[in-house]
Amino acid sequence: MHARAPFFFAFALTAGLLGFGYYLEYAKGLEPCPMCMMQRLAFLGVAAIGLLAALHGPQGAVRRFYGVLIALPAGIGGAVATRQIWLQHLPADRVPECGPGWNYMIDAYPLADVIRQALRGTGDCAEVSWTFLGRSIPEWSVIWFALLFIGGLMLLVARPQHWLVTGRTGPEAA
């Protein structure tokens, strides 16, 4: 049971973050830019892998494999969030022009073009429309992605403590 805890935590954390993103979109009217949507997909990837692993309860090499699978979308999402932070800190005269929205791009362009355009970023991506404690959405996202990435790597290299798996403590746990 305890071996499932880190995976369930990754799922619950990212589900909460996604829920907050949807709250900002639908309750507060903040339209996500293409880079925000890519970060959302990365969080969704971590959530799906975390839920699958929590249900599976893997041990040994499979547990480490799930750690890699969690670190992968977290690393990609962190890279996208970092690029968006860079765009947000560009001087106004260097900000790219605004482009089409995510939904239009998905409907009108091939997937490779959507990904290329979203990674390039648009003027919409450079706009800071919400902050909390002085940090923008991608700045918070990069923090969460970094923690999830590190957590995934920890699952890759760390051996679970025997007492976590058995629930026993003391000399009998050995």
Side-chain angles (χ1 to χ4, degrees):
M1 178 67 174
H2 296 288
R4 299 170 191 243
F7 300 110
F8 182 75
F9 180 75
F11 164 72
L13 174 67
T14 51
L17 292 169
L18 286 166
F20 186 69
Y22 287 116
Y23 165 78
L24 289 175
E25 180 179 356
Y26 294 109
K28 295 297 183 183
L30 298 180
E31 186 69 29
C33 73
M35 290 183 112
C36 293
M37 293 302 291
M38 291 190 73
Q39 291 168 61
R40 219 180 248 187
L41 289 173
F43 278 129
L44 184 62
V46 172
I49 294 163
L51 179 60
L52 181 65
L55 294 173
H56 181 214
Q59 299 293 323
V62 178
R63 183 175 191 266
R64 290 187 287 279
F65 180 68
Y66 276 119
V68 171
L69 289 181
I70 284 177
L72 187 62
I76 292 168
V80 173
T82 300
R83 172 128 172 98
Q84 187 173 3
I85 293 166
W86 177 77
L87 287 172
Q88 288 180 342
H89 290 88
L90 283 176
D93 62 330
R94 299 208 46 219
V95 172
E97 293 182 19
C98 289
W102 179 261
N103 291 333
Y104 176 80
M105 288 193 315
I106 289 292
D107 290 340
Y109 302 137
L111 184 59
D113 290 344
V114 172
I115 293 170
R116 191 175 307 110
Q117 179 66 28
L119 289 176
R120 190 174 309 131
T122 67
D124 298 342
C125 298
E127 189 178 306
V128 177
S129 55
W130 182 88
T131 61
F132 178 69
L133 298 177
R135 302 278 178 240
S136 67
I137 294 170
E139 289 171 330
W140 283 109
S141 292
V142 82
I143 291 168
W144 291 115
F145 280 127
L147 292 173
L148 289 163
F149 182 80
I150 291 167
L153 292 182
M154 287 177 65
L155 289 168
L156 174 65
V157 298
R159 299 188 68 159
Q161 297 297 320
H162 187 71
W163 66 269
L164 283 175
V165 176
T166 63
R168 294 183 292 181
T169 59
E172 71 275 1

